[in-house]
Amino acid sequence: MKIKLAILEHDKNYLTRVVTAFNNRFPDKLQVYSFTKTDDVMYETLRESKIDMLISSDFFEIDFSKIPKTCAFAYFVESTGIEQYNNKPTICKFQKADLIYKEILNIFSEVAANISGVSISSEGGTKVISFISAAGGVGCSTVAASYALFLAKKGFKPLFLSLEILGNSNAFFKGNGQYNFSDIVYAVKSKKANIVMKLESCVKQDESEVFFFDGCSMPLDMMELNNDEITSIIKTLRTTNSYTHIIIDTDFAFDERSMNILGNSSDVVVVADGSALSNAKFKSFYDTISIMESQKDLHLLSKLHIIYNKFSNKTSQELPVENLDIIGGIPKYEYASTEQIMQQVSSMAVFNNFA
């Protein structure tokens, strides 16, 4: 849907610049109306055109009794340090259009939660690929992030979604914005916001074109999400059709949370290093999944793939498991930074048949 946005601003030069920026950057997201004074024409337009959100310069006195209840509101202010003005939310006017847009979505999402017309598409073609490991220290998160980077280099629109309790997407990607995954958790738990718009307002984009969310402020926030809420987040992200791939980096245990995440995945990539210990743990994992699949309504074996990271011809060995798809192997890189490893791995041919 397009958000009908009205901007009330006394500085005509700034008004022209911001309206032009929005029209150029978000032609399919925003329909912008502009005003330079408060009068009956403006208030009538808010009602008759069913404006979704009004942003007003703090220069004006606003008659809130004339603003429809379904119209979100915020003040334009000149400093990022001002969180509220006249008990209303604020948006700093002197920042990039992308960041202003995200703040618009964040504020409007709380009004949109009660508007039946704001919804998501019924189906989505997005692939959801989860990366897990049966053994620690094999570099699962780095491989998942490298795969997201590989997809971006191929022209896809990947979202890197860390659902690890101690996950930190900022170890791999950087982007502008002030919101993190804790804001999403709060929105889902409180049910006070439209989750589609909340997700869009919180997502960031790395210079590599990979989308991601900053990690939670506290790991306890991630732990607050129950299975239904995790499913809701994944399905909402998938059915918005904003991304071609959702790459989930997650902890693994034989519990409902892990089974739920894997159940909502198109594919599951297990990262191992081919060592004797790693192979033994993977074999135990595979056998356990096989038993659980025969006892419960699980369909995981057909989704499983394995990729060997930090693989050495001297100390590592592929584990022969019938009908298991082996994506390939990644060598161990000594004395390289995470960024250097990601750039190297994302440029390899290992993922070519797994896009």
Side-chain angles (χ1 to χ4, degrees):
M1 64 162 289
K2 273 190 178 183
I3 296 176
K4 292 183 178 181
L5 174 70
I7 302 176
L8 174 62
E9 174 59 58
H10 68 288
D11 184 338
K12 293 182 180 180
N13 289 331
Y14 176 81
L15 183 61
T16 299
R17 291 199 304 271
V18 73
V19 170
T20 300
F22 283 159
N23 287 336
N24 289 337
R25 292 284 295 163
F26 311 107
D28 58 337
K29 301 285 188 179
L30 298 175
Q31 183 175 340
V32 185
Y33 299 71
S34 60
F35 303 92
T36 57
K37 60 182 178 179
T38 54
D39 55 16
D40 290 340
V41 173
M42 187 198 76
Y43 289 116
E44 183 179 348
T45 302
L46 295 181
R47 295 190 302 271
E48 297 298 322
S49 298
K50 297 181 180 179
I51 299 298
D52 296 308
M53 183 167 177
L54 169 64
I55 307 177
S56 169
S57 166
D58 57 7
F59 174 85
F60 295 98
E61 293 288 337
I62 303 298
D63 186 349
F64 290 101
S65 67
K66 295 183 179 180
I67 298 179
K69 292 183 179 180
T70 56
C71 181
F73 179 86
Y75 280 108
F76 258 152
V77 294
E78 297 185 0
S79 173
T80 56
I82 302 173
E83 295 184 359
Q84 284 195 336
Y85 179 76
N86 286 345
N87 295 318
K88 298 294 182 180
T90 62
I91 297 174
C92 178
K93 64 199 302 185
F94 299 123
Q95 55 183 332
K96 293 181 179 179
D98 291 31
L99 298 182
I100 295 176
Y101 172 67
K102 287 182 181 295
E103 294 198 42
I104 289 170
L105 287 181
N106 186 60
I107 294 169
F108 178 62
S109 69
E110 298 188 8
V111 174
N114 299 314
I115 302 175
S116 59
V118 179
S119 60
I120 58 178
S121 57
S122 58
E123 296 183 3
T126 303
K127 293 183 179 180
V128 181
I129 304 172
S130 288
F131 281 72
I132 62 173
S133 64
V138 297
C140 181
S141 296
T142 302
V143 174
S146 298
Y147 180 58
L149 183 58
F150 164 82
L151 291 171
K153 288 181 176 180
K154 293 294 183 180
F156 294 102
K157 293 182 64 177
L159 170 70
F160 180 79
L161 175 62
S162 176
L163 294 180
E164 285 190 310
I165 301 301
L166 298 175
N168 181 15
S169 299
N170 291 113
F172 310 107
F173 305 108
K174 308 293 181 187
N176 295 322
Q178 62 179 346
Y179 304 111
N180 61 35
F181 208 77
S182 290
D183 296 293
I184 296 171
V185 173
Y186 176 78
V188 171
K189 300 295 290 188
S190 66
K191 299 181 180 178
K192 291 184 178 179
N194 179 282
I195 186 61
V196 179
M197 293 184 175
K198 179 62 71 171
L199 288 164
E200 188 175 352
S201 72
C202 294
V203 75
K204 297 184 178 183
Q205 189 173 15
D206 185 74
E207 62 180 11
S208 67
E209 305 297 323
V210 174
F211 294 87
F212 70 101
F213 297 101
D214 277 355
C216 287
S217 303
M218 290 289 293
L220 290 173
D221 293 340
M222 183 66 77
M223 294 172 65
E224 284 290 316
L225 288 174
N226 62 39
N227 289 338
D228 289 341
E229 291 160 348
I230 291 174
T231 296
S232 176
I233 290 172
I234 295 173
K235 287 188 174 181
T236 301
L237 287 168
R238 178 176 59 82
T239 54
T240 56
N241 291 322
S242 298
Y243 314 104
T244 57
H245 300 72
I246 298 172
I247 312 304
I248 299 179
D249 177 32
T250 182
D251 306 297
F252 178 77
F254 291 106
D255 57 12
E256 290 186 6
R257 185 180 190 275
S258 292
M259 293 299 108
N260 178 54
I261 293 172
L262 301 190
N264 280 289
S265 302
S266 312
D267 295 272
V268 178
V269 178
V270 183
V271 181
D273 64 10
S275 66
L277 178 60
S278 175
N279 283 349
K281 289 188 174 183
F282 175 79
K283 185 63 167 59
S284 178
F285 159 83
Y286 189 88
D287 291 344
T288 303
I289 291 294
S290 300
I291 294 171
M292 293 175 67
E293 186 157 297
S294 65
Q295 294 177 344
K296 302 179 181 181
D297 187 22
L298 294 177
H299 302 281
L300 295 180
L301 290 180
S302 61
K303 301 179 181 181
L304 287 183
H305 313 265
I306 188 169
I307 187 167
Y308 292 98
N309 187 38
K310 303 180 182 180
F311 195 85
S312 168
N313 291 329
K314 296 181 179 180
T315 61
S316 303
Q317 185 176 2
E318 290 185 0
L319 186 64
V321 177
E322 188 176 355
N323 298 323
L324 178 66
D325 176 46
I326 299 176
I327 296 175
I330 301 169
K332 185 175 182 178
Y333 295 98
E334 299 282 0
Y335 312 114
S337 67
T338 299
E339 181 179 358
Q340 290 171 332
I341 293 173
M342 287 174 56
Q343 288 295 336
Q344 187 67 32
V345 173
S346 64
S347 299
M348 294 174 60
V350 64
F351 293 126
N352 279 347
N353 296 321
F354 194 65

